[in-house]
Amino acid sequence: LKIVRTELDDRLFDLDRQIAEKDSTIEDKIVTGIKVGKDVFRHYFEVYGNVQSDKSAIIYAENSGVVQSINVNEGESVKKGQVLVTQDVEMIARKITEIRTQLDLAEILYEKQKRLWDQNIGSEVQFLEAKNRKESLENSMATSKEQRQKSSVTAPFDGVVDKIFPKVGELVGMSVPLVRLVNIDELYINADISERYIGDLSKGNSVWVIVNRKDTIKSSISRLGDYINPSNRSFEMRVEIDEIVDVLRPNSLVVLRINDHTEENAIVIPSSLIMQDGAGEDYVFTIKTDVHNDLVARKTPIKTGLSYLGKTVVKNGISDGDDLIDKGSRKVRDGDKVKKITV
């Protein structure tokens, strides 16, 4: 039906043109034109990304004990090595005192046994037992001191205390969470990209990070995964965040607008000027000069490429410098006399 309609329109147009040639009262159709020029064309696609941080951690207790003090507040900024939580170390302190007493005696016995052994007095077994006893207590002392040190939980990196889990006086065991520490100055974004783009993306491609659908920051691809996830046929992409954005937090959801195709010196025209005939072929109207040196509209078939944000790449059919009919393109036919005006 579209083909039939096109044929009828063409026949009607021919009749109208024949009438126009004999009717001097018919005026030229008013149109506006744009010059075809070469430009850089960039195509983008959008995916969701998840904000992450390598410095976002839940800090656990390494010893069992009662929480003696909490030295920070939620929302407080802390430095690496700063004490966050301390546990009761009374039992460990008593253990260290006991080991110290035993170690003092063991050192005295070892020194005496060594002097005797140096004079070839006594048995080797007695000397080795004294030495082993002393070294065993020294190791126990070092272990107990390390346990006492671990009773003071410190920040492993600079950050902000996001959550404090225990209360003062609560008994906490090993592997019990104490503090969630977050550093929001070193964030990045991970996104799962469909494998269909695996040949179109490379490290360094530009990416626009859209936060809350309004704030936009520019970045680039810093890493592309080498593994295709078989469950969703995607690979991982990482984008660094070089700017500080107050609203971004670990696990925030953002939109990534990724440049997957760039074409230099491309013929780019507004997509709205492209029409299709009954056979599904794309065409535009150009302004040409006829044998009488009059301006006429010419139906010009074209081959199109990618489109993005109302712009389309034209592969062939028109050239740099051609005049395209802009306003009025829907009201003209091939061969219509036109009058080009500037709006």
Side-chain angles (χ1 to χ4, degrees):
L1 289 174
K2 289 181 179 179
I3 294 173
V4 171
R5 184 180 66 181
T6 301
E7 292 174 348
L8 291 173
D9 286 343
D10 291 340
R11 289 175 60 187
L12 287 171
F13 172 72
D14 288 335
L15 291 171
D16 289 338
R17 182 166 55 182
Q18 293 176 38
I19 293 171
E21 290 175 354
K22 299 181 180 296
D23 188 350
S24 59
T25 61
I26 296 179
E27 297 180 351
D28 296 343
K29 294 184 178 178
I30 305 298
V31 297
T32 62
I34 61 172
K35 281 283 186 183
V36 175
K38 292 185 177 181
D39 200 357
V40 178
F41 176 80
R42 292 183 174 88
H43 185 270
Y44 293 82
F45 69 96
E46 293 185 357
V47 296
Y48 284 103
N50 187 46
V51 178
Q52 297 184 12
S53 172
D54 288 333
K55 291 186 176 180
S56 175
I58 295 179
I59 303 169
Y60 292 84
E62 296 186 63
N63 291 325
S64 297
V66 175
V67 175
Q68 190 174 50
S69 66
I70 298 174
N71 304 323
V72 292
N73 298 312
E74 291 181 355
E76 181 178 340
S77 297
V78 297
K79 296 293 185 181
K80 180 179 179 180
Q82 183 175 336
V83 176
L84 307 177
V85 178
T86 58
Q87 294 173 264
D88 186 5
V89 294
E90 184 178 349
M91 293 183 62
I92 297 178
R94 286 201 298 266
K95 184 178 180 181
I96 290 174
T97 302
E98 181 181 345
I99 294 174
R100 180 76 264 173
T101 302
Q102 296 176 8
L103 181 58
D104 289 342
L105 176 60
E107 287 175 343
I108 294 172
L109 294 177
Y110 168 73
E111 292 297 331
K112 289 184 176 181
Q113 198 65 44
K114 186 175 184 301
R115 286 197 296 270
L116 292 173
W117 177 247
D118 291 341
Q119 300 173 19
N120 294 323
I121 302 174
S123 67
E124 183 180 6
V125 173
Q126 290 175 319
F127 169 71
L128 293 176
E129 285 179 345
K131 181 181 179 182
N132 180 68
R133 173 67 175 168
K134 180 181 83 72
E135 291 176 349
S136 177
L137 288 170
E138 286 175 343
N139 290 333
S140 295
M141 176 65 76
T143 300
S144 296
K145 287 182 177 181
E146 186 176 351
Q147 287 181 329
R148 181 175 62 183
Q149 185 178 1
K150 289 183 177 180
S151 295
S152 294
V153 179
T154 59
F157 51 81
D158 295 352
V160 176
V161 177
D162 182 62
K163 179 71 175 177
I164 298 173
F165 296 97
K167 306 292 184 184
V168 174
E170 288 184 354
L171 176 65
V172 295
M174 296 177 65
S175 300
V176 171
L178 299 179
V179 175
R180 183 193 295 127
L181 188 64
V182 178
N183 186 326
I184 61 174
D185 294 335
E186 299 181 23
L187 300 175
Y188 62 91
I189 301 168
N190 269 350
D192 291 331
I193 309 297
S194 170
E195 66 174 330
R196 67 180 290 262
Y197 294 106
I198 199 166
D200 300 326
L201 302 181
S202 59
K203 185 177 177 180
N205 279 25
S206 63
V207 176
W208 291 99
V209 181
I210 305 171
V211 183
N212 295 334
R213 285 290 179 181
K214 55 180 181 178
D215 298 325
T216 303
I217 58 176
K218 188 174 184 180
S219 186
S220 60
I221 298 174
S222 60
R223 188 180 68 83
L224 292 171
D226 297 317
Y227 173 76
I228 301 293
N229 188 334
S231 62
N232 58 7
R233 309 307 305 172
S234 67
F235 61 96
E236 192 174 89
M237 182 189 74
R238 175 165 169 160
V239 175
E240 303 296 334
I241 301 178
D242 299 325
E243 301 180 31
I244 297 177
V245 182
D246 292 338
V247 296
L248 285 183
R249 297 290 185 273
N251 298 316
S252 292
L253 197 64
V254 297
V255 175
L256 300 179
R257 184 175 293 158
I258 305 164
N259 174 218
D260 63 326
H261 178 79
T262 300
E263 192 171 338
E264 304 285 345
N265 295 320
I267 299 293
V268 183
I269 66 172
S271 303
S272 59
L273 301 186
I274 301 173
M275 293 170 277
Q276 280 191 338
D277 58 21
E281 297 295 329
D282 293 328
Y283 68 92
V284 293
F285 278 108
T286 56
I287 301 175
K288 300 293 184 180
T289 304
D290 64 8
V291 293
H292 303 294
N293 208 29
D294 294 325
L295 295 181
V296 295
R298 288 300 180 200
K299 178 181 176 182
T300 307
I302 59 172
K303 295 294 182 183
T304 59
L306 291 174
S307 297
Y308 184 71
L309 290 182
K311 299 289 186 180
T312 298
V313 174
V314 178
K315 296 296 185 181
N316 58 60
I318 56 176
S319 304
D320 187 13
D322 284 350
D323 271 331
L324 292 187
I325 295 179
D326 182 11
K327 290 183 173 60
S329 61
R330 303 284 174 175
K331 298 180 180 179
V332 297
R333 296 289 183 181
D334 187 31
D336 276 356
K337 290 183 180 181
V338 297
K339 182 179 180 180
K340 181 181 174 183
I341 63 171
T342 302
V343 178

mmCIF file of all heavy atoms in Angstrom, residues 89-104 137 140-149 151:
data_model
loop_
_atom_site.group_PDB
_atom_site.id
_atom_site.type_symbol
_atom_site.label_atom_id
_atom_site.label_comp_id
_atom_site.label_asym_id
_atom_site.label_seq_id
_atom_site.Cartn_x
_atom_site.Cartn_y
_atom_site.Cartn_z
ATOM 1 N N VAL A 89 41.601 -5.234 79.351
ATOM 2 C CA VAL A 89 42.827 -6.050 79.231
ATOM 3 C C VAL A 89 43.295 -6.554 80.601
ATOM 4 O O VAL A 89 44.443 -6.969 80.755
ATOM 5 C CB VAL A 89 43.945 -5.222 78.560
ATOM 6 C CG1 VAL A 89 43.586 -4.891 77.133
ATOM 7 C CG2 VAL A 89 44.232 -3.946 79.350
ATOM 8 N N GLU A 90 42.420 -6.547 81.605
ATOM 9 C CA GLU A 90 42.834 -6.936 82.961
ATOM 10 C C GLU A 90 43.310 -8.385 83.008
ATOM 11 O O GLU A 90 44.351 -8.690 83.606
ATOM 12 C CB GLU A 90 41.673 -6.734 83.931
ATOM 13 C CG GLU A 90 42.052 -7.034 85.384
ATOM 14 C CD GLU A 90 40.904 -6.789 86.341
ATOM 15 O OE1 GLU A 90 39.889 -6.202 85.914
ATOM 16 O OE2 GLU A 90 41.030 -7.200 87.512
ATOM 17 N N MET A 91 42.573 -9.271 82.329
ATOM 18 C CA MET A 91 42.964 -10.681 82.342
ATOM 19 C C MET A 91 44.299 -10.887 81.637
ATOM 20 O O MET A 91 45.160 -11.652 82.110
ATOM 21 C CB MET A 91 41.892 -11.548 81.685
ATOM 22 C CG MET A 91 40.591 -11.608 82.462
ATOM 23 S SD MET A 91 39.383 -12.698 81.695
ATOM 24 C CE MET A 91 40.221 -14.263 81.760
ATOM 25 N N ILE A 92 44.463 -10.185 80.520
ATOM 26 C CA ILE A 92 45.733 -10.314 79.794
ATOM 27 C C ILE A 92 46.871 -9.734 80.625
ATOM 28 O O ILE A 92 47.985 -10.285 80.650
ATOM 29 C CB ILE A 92 45.636 -9.594 78.434
ATOM 30 C CG1 ILE A 92 44.567 -10.255 77.565
ATOM 31 C CG2 ILE A 92 46.979 -9.606 77.710
ATOM 32 C CD1 ILE A 92 44.358 -9.585 76.217
ATOM 33 N N ALA A 93 46.604 -8.622 81.335
ATOM 34 C CA ALA A 93 47.636 -8.009 82.172
ATOM 35 C C ALA A 93 48.059 -8.965 83.290
ATOM 36 O O ALA A 93 49.262 -9.093 83.599
ATOM 37 C CB ALA A 93 47.129 -6.694 82.758
ATOM 38 N N ARG A 94 47.084 -9.654 83.904
ATOM 39 C CA ARG A 94 47.424 -10.627 84.952
ATOM 40 C C ARG A 94 48.249 -11.784 84.379
ATOM 41 O O ARG A 94 49.182 -12.269 85.009
ATOM 42 C CB ARG A 94 46.145 -11.155 85.611
ATOM 43 C CG ARG A 94 45.475 -10.142 86.537
ATOM 44 C CD ARG A 94 44.565 -10.842 87.530
ATOM 45 N NE ARG A 94 43.487 -11.548 86.865
ATOM 46 C CZ ARG A 94 42.267 -11.043 86.646
ATOM 47 N NH1 ARG A 94 42.009 -9.796 87.040
ATOM 48 N NH2 ARG A 94 41.333 -11.737 86.056
ATOM 49 N N LYS A 95 47.871 -12.192 83.161
ATOM 50 C CA LYS A 95 48.607 -13.280 82.515
ATOM 51 C C LYS A 95 50.043 -12.863 82.226
ATOM 52 O O LYS A 95 50.987 -13.645 82.428
ATOM 53 C CB LYS A 95 47.903 -13.683 81.225
ATOM 54 C CG LYS A 95 48.541 -14.867 80.524
ATOM 55 C CD LYS A 95 47.759 -15.232 79.274
ATOM 56 C CE LYS A 95 48.417 -16.429 78.570
ATOM 57 N NZ LYS A 95 47.676 -16.799 77.334
ATOM 58 N N ILE A 96 50.232 -11.621 81.792
ATOM 59 C CA ILE A 96 51.584 -11.124 81.512
ATOM 60 C C ILE A 96 52.404 -11.071 82.788
ATOM 61 O O ILE A 96 53.601 -11.436 82.814
ATOM 62 C CB ILE A 96 51.507 -9.729 80.842
ATOM 63 C CG1 ILE A 96 50.951 -9.857 79.415
ATOM 64 C CG2 ILE A 96 52.876 -9.054 80.811
ATOM 65 C CD1 ILE A 96 50.708 -8.531 78.723
ATOM 66 N N THR A 97 51.786 -10.639 83.918
ATOM 67 C CA THR A 97 52.489 -10.587 85.210
ATOM 68 C C THR A 97 52.918 -11.982 85.642
ATOM 69 O O THR A 97 54.052 -12.199 86.134
ATOM 70 C CB THR A 97 51.583 -9.960 86.275
ATOM 71 O OG1 THR A 97 51.201 -8.650 85.860
ATOM 72 C CG2 THR A 97 52.296 -9.874 87.610
ATOM 73 N N GLU A 98 52.016 -12.955 85.458
ATOM 74 C CA GLU A 98 52.335 -14.337 85.826
ATOM 75 C C GLU A 98 53.488 -14.885 84.981
ATOM 76 O O GLU A 98 54.421 -15.514 85.500
ATOM 77 C CB GLU A 98 51.084 -15.200 85.636
ATOM 78 C CG GLU A 98 51.284 -16.661 86.010
ATOM 79 C CD GLU A 98 50.024 -17.484 85.771
ATOM 80 O OE1 GLU A 98 48.946 -16.893 85.586
ATOM 81 O OE2 GLU A 98 50.134 -18.725 85.749
ATOM 82 N N ILE A 99 53.417 -14.612 83.673
ATOM 83 C CA ILE A 99 54.492 -15.099 82.790
ATOM 84 C C ILE A 99 55.800 -14.405 83.122
ATOM 85 O O ILE A 99 56.876 -15.033 83.094
ATOM 86 C CB ILE A 99 54.107 -14.853 81.312
ATOM 87 C CG1 ILE A 99 52.900 -15.712 80.929
ATOM 88 C CG2 ILE A 99 55.271 -15.176 80.382
ATOM 89 C CD1 ILE A 99 52.363 -15.438 79.539
ATOM 90 N N ARG A 100 55.739 -13.116 83.468
ATOM 91 C CA ARG A 100 56.954 -12.370 83.825
ATOM 92 C C ARG A 100 57.647 -12.986 85.023
ATOM 93 O O ARG A 100 58.890 -13.137 85.040
ATOM 94 C CB ARG A 100 56.552 -10.916 84.138
ATOM 95 C CG ARG A 100 57.688 -9.993 84.539
ATOM 96 C CD ARG A 100 58.513 -9.583 83.326
ATOM 97 N NE ARG A 100 59.690 -10.451 83.175
ATOM 98 C CZ ARG A 100 60.490 -10.398 82.135
ATOM 99 N NH1 ARG A 100 60.232 -9.570 81.143
ATOM 100 N NH2 ARG A 100 61.540 -11.180 82.071
ATOM 101 N N THR A 101 56.848 -13.393 86.046
ATOM 102 C CA THR A 101 57.414 -14.028 87.237
ATOM 103 C C THR A 101 58.101 -15.347 86.862
ATOM 104 O O THR A 101 59.228 -15.640 87.308
ATOM 105 C CB THR A 101 56.323 -14.278 88.282
ATOM 106 O OG1 THR A 101 55.695 -13.041 88.617
ATOM 107 C CG2 THR A 101 56.904 -14.914 89.530
ATOM 108 N N GLN A 102 57.402 -16.154 86.054
ATOM 109 C CA GLN A 102 57.979 -17.429 85.643
ATOM 110 C C GLN A 102 59.215 -17.233 84.769
ATOM 111 O O GLN A 102 60.191 -17.989 84.873
ATOM 112 C CB GLN A 102 56.930 -18.247 84.888
ATOM 113 C CG GLN A 102 55.733 -18.648 85.732
ATOM 114 C CD GLN A 102 54.667 -19.367 84.909
ATOM 115 O OE1 GLN A 102 54.873 -19.691 83.752
ATOM 116 N NE2 GLN A 102 53.509 -19.600 85.529
ATOM 117 N N LEU A 103 59.170 -16.210 83.905
ATOM 118 C CA LEU A 103 60.295 -15.958 83.014
ATOM 119 C C LEU A 103 61.520 -15.502 83.792
ATOM 120 O O LEU A 103 62.659 -15.887 83.456
ATOM 121 C CB LEU A 103 59.901 -14.901 81.973
ATOM 122 C CG LEU A 103 60.967 -14.536 80.942
ATOM 123 C CD1 LEU A 103 61.420 -15.771 80.160
ATOM 124 C CD2 LEU A 103 60.449 -13.472 79.978
ATOM 125 N N ASP A 104 61.324 -14.693 84.846
ATOM 126 C CA ASP A 104 62.457 -14.246 85.665
ATOM 127 C C ASP A 104 63.164 -15.444 86.279
ATOM 128 O O ASP A 104 64.413 -15.525 86.285
ATOM 129 C CB ASP A 104 61.976 -13.291 86.762
ATOM 130 C CG ASP A 104 61.541 -11.939 86.199
ATOM 131 O OD1 ASP A 104 61.932 -11.637 85.044
ATOM 132 O OD2 ASP A 104 60.802 -11.203 86.890
ATOM 133 N N LEU A 137 58.774 -19.411 77.545
ATOM 134 C CA LEU A 137 58.140 -18.320 78.285
ATOM 135 C C LEU A 137 58.316 -16.988 77.566
ATOM 136 O O LEU A 137 57.421 -16.131 77.607
ATOM 137 C CB LEU A 137 58.725 -18.243 79.700
ATOM 138 C CG LEU A 137 58.299 -19.384 80.640
ATOM 139 C CD1 LEU A 137 59.119 -19.354 81.927
ATOM 140 C CD2 LEU A 137 56.809 -19.283 80.954
ATOM 141 N N SER A 140 55.679 -16.938 74.952
ATOM 142 C CA SER A 140 54.376 -16.701 75.580
ATOM 143 C C SER A 140 54.214 -15.229 75.956
ATOM 144 O O SER A 140 53.131 -14.647 75.810
ATOM 145 C CB SER A 140 54.224 -17.573 76.835
ATOM 146 O OG SER A 140 54.215 -18.939 76.496
ATOM 147 N N MET A 141 55.298 -14.609 76.427
ATOM 148 C CA MET A 141 55.256 -13.190 76.784
ATOM 149 C C MET A 141 54.981 -12.333 75.546
ATOM 150 O O MET A 141 54.147 -11.409 75.586
ATOM 151 C CB MET A 141 56.583 -12.780 77.420
ATOM 152 C CG MET A 141 56.690 -11.291 77.748
ATOM 153 S SD MET A 141 55.523 -10.764 79.023
ATOM 154 C CE MET A 141 56.343 -11.417 80.493
ATOM 155 N N ALA A 142 55.674 -12.652 74.441
ATOM 156 C CA ALA A 142 55.478 -11.880 73.206
ATOM 157 C C ALA A 142 54.038 -12.025 72.696
ATOM 158 O O ALA A 142 53.416 -11.049 72.243
ATOM 159 C CB ALA A 142 56.462 -12.342 72.141
ATOM 160 N N THR A 143 53.490 -13.250 72.779
ATOM 161 C CA THR A 143 52.113 -13.481 72.328
ATOM 162 C C THR A 143 51.119 -12.707 73.181
ATOM 163 O O THR A 143 50.170 -12.096 72.664
ATOM 164 C CB THR A 143 51.786 -14.981 72.371
ATOM 165 O OG1 THR A 143 52.692 -15.689 71.520
ATOM 166 C CG2 THR A 143 50.362 -15.236 71.901
ATOM 167 N N SER A 144 51.324 -12.715 74.497
ATOM 168 C CA SER A 144 50.416 -12.010 75.407
ATOM 169 C C SER A 144 50.473 -10.503 75.185
ATOM 170 O O SER A 144 49.437 -9.818 75.220
ATOM 171 C CB SER A 144 50.771 -12.338 76.861
ATOM 172 O OG SER A 144 50.578 -13.715 77.120
ATOM 173 N N LYS A 145 51.670 -9.980 74.928
ATOM 174 C CA LYS A 145 51.782 -8.541 74.668
ATOM 175 C C LYS A 145 51.084 -8.164 73.361
ATOM 176 O O LYS A 145 50.460 -7.101 73.259
ATOM 177 C CB LYS A 145 53.253 -8.133 74.617
ATOM 178 C CG LYS A 145 53.928 -8.112 75.980
ATOM 179 C CD LYS A 145 55.371 -7.653 75.873
ATOM 180 C CE LYS A 145 56.022 -7.569 77.262
ATOM 181 N NZ LYS A 145 57.433 -7.109 77.180
ATOM 182 N N GLU A 146 51.192 -9.052 72.374
ATOM 183 C CA GLU A 146 50.518 -8.794 71.106
ATOM 184 C C GLU A 146 48.997 -8.814 71.293
ATOM 185 O O GLU A 146 48.282 -7.996 70.706
ATOM 186 C CB GLU A 146 50.943 -9.835 70.071
ATOM 187 C CG GLU A 146 50.395 -9.570 68.674
ATOM 188 C CD GLU A 146 50.901 -10.561 67.650
ATOM 189 O OE1 GLU A 146 51.801 -11.357 67.972
ATOM 190 O OE2 GLU A 146 50.375 -10.543 66.513
ATOM 191 N N GLN A 147 48.514 -9.760 72.135
ATOM 192 C CA GLN A 147 47.081 -9.804 72.422
ATOM 193 C C GLN A 147 46.626 -8.535 73.133
ATOM 194 O O GLN A 147 45.548 -8.008 72.843
ATOM 195 C CB GLN A 147 46.761 -11.020 73.292
ATOM 196 C CG GLN A 147 46.824 -12.341 72.537
ATOM 197 C CD GLN A 147 46.486 -13.513 73.432
ATOM 198 O OE1 GLN A 147 46.754 -13.486 74.640
ATOM 199 N NE2 GLN A 147 45.916 -14.545 72.850
ATOM 200 N N ARG A 148 47.455 -8.038 74.040
ATOM 201 C CA ARG A 148 47.115 -6.797 74.746
ATOM 202 C C ARG A 148 47.062 -5.619 73.768
ATOM 203 O O ARG A 148 46.179 -4.766 73.858
ATOM 204 C CB ARG A 148 48.130 -6.521 75.849
ATOM 205 C CG ARG A 148 47.828 -5.257 76.660
ATOM 206 C CD ARG A 148 48.781 -5.089 77.819
ATOM 207 N NE ARG A 148 50.164 -4.938 77.359
ATOM 208 C CZ ARG A 148 51.203 -4.834 78.180
ATOM 209 N NH1 ARG A 148 51.014 -4.877 79.498
ATOM 210 N NH2 ARG A 148 52.419 -4.702 77.710
ATOM 211 N N GLN A 149 47.995 -5.616 72.812
ATOM 212 C CA GLN A 149 48.016 -4.546 71.823
ATOM 213 C C GLN A 149 46.777 -4.600 70.926
ATOM 214 O O GLN A 149 46.210 -3.570 70.575
ATOM 215 C CB GLN A 149 49.286 -4.650 70.979
ATOM 216 C CG GLN A 149 49.467 -3.520 69.988
ATOM 217 C CD GLN A 149 50.770 -3.637 69.218
ATOM 218 O OE1 GLN A 149 51.533 -4.571 69.402
ATOM 219 N NE2 GLN A 149 51.011 -2.668 68.348
ATOM 220 N N SER A 151 43.929 -5.500 71.729
ATOM 221 C CA SER A 151 42.734 -5.107 72.470
ATOM 222 C C SER A 151 42.387 -3.640 72.222
ATOM 223 O O SER A 151 41.287 -3.199 72.533
ATOM 224 C CB SER A 151 42.934 -5.344 73.969
ATOM 225 O OG SER A 151 43.076 -6.731 74.230
#
